[in-house]
Amino acid sequence: MTLPTSVRLVEVGPRDGLQNEKQPISVADKVRLVDDLTAAGLAYVEVGSFVSPKWVPQMAGSAEVFAGIQQKPGITYAALAPNLKGFEAALEAGVKEVAVFAAASEAFSQKNINCSIKESLERFVPVMDAAREHDIRVRGYVSCVLGCPYQGEVDLQQVAAVAAELDAMGCYEVSLGDTIGVGTAGASRKMFEVVGARVPRERLAGHFHDTYGQALANIYASLLEGIAVFDSSVAGLGGCPYAKGATGNVATEDVLYLLNGLGIHTGIDLDKLIDAGQRICTVLDKPNGSRVARARLAKA
Ligand code: HMG
Ligand code: MG
């Protein structure tokens, strides 16, 4: 398999990253982060979530964040919507693209969205209908594709079945999430091979958390499987509130460095991206989770 000539990076830091932060983060700081990311050349940013504030308090101000950002043409500003209520709130906030999220593990589905996998997929049907009516694109997520914090092993056929359902429902792309970052390069290749037999690879994306330090290897393995869309989080922010111990997504800066080294086009400026990541780390008063950013900033 030859490598793709260009890759689309889906920046999930403002959502997957910040959703896990315990301390309050102002709307202004969230807005600045999103604007910094698009200024660095990211063409897709997941800005927030329209979920229950009781479940994920940090995402409560998502409508205000959408109102505050500078929305530029050609850039996708997306939000998570777990049900019709969330979709309607997103619509009200002027969101033009949403993401629904299911899991490949029953145990995780219950902990994350309080229902079975089957029930979650049923909940998405009215969301898909409403989205179609309003001309809103829907992306799908499958969590725990390479392991679950509650049940351990996850059956790849189950991953493929959930991904195929989201695809059949009308999600234009399905992002496969190693929510707890336990996957390896071999397991990632195998997973895309199995899911790729059910959903065309050009409609699949990889979403790797870096808990075990394997995310870049997993991305390289996925590139070899023909995957050309990856989710990442500036400065490696985040984790998942329902996956204890899981660290953030792979850092966008590190993925970009890998892709630049392979001569794969992304349209993103590494220096500006590093500045965006460092700024939010200063706000959060935490160390930068990107190895590339740390190395570059140490030299500056
Ligand atoms: P529930 O308690 O079962 O829902 O939660 P319910 O329908 O029984 O409603 C309970 C209350 O929530 C009601 O309010 C509803 O109005 C309200 P009350 O009457 O008690 O005042 N409610 C809502 N409020 C705001 N927005 C909504 C909404 N829906 C109901 N959309 C629910 C079910 C799905 C809402 C809840 O479990 C939830 O919000 N979960 C969110 C979980 C979450 O955001 N997890 C993190 C994102 S997923 C992730 O990180 C993985 C990913 O990155 C990929 C990967 O890494 O694998 C995507
Ligand atoms: Mg995630």
Side-chain angles (χ1 to χ4, degrees), residues 15-16 19 50 52 54 83 112 114 143 179 207 209:
R15 194 280 304 171
D16 206 350
Q19 74 180 7
F50 292 87
S52 162
K54 286 184 199 138
N83 51 20
N112 192 35
N114 205 24
S143 285
T179 316
H207 177 111
H209 285 255

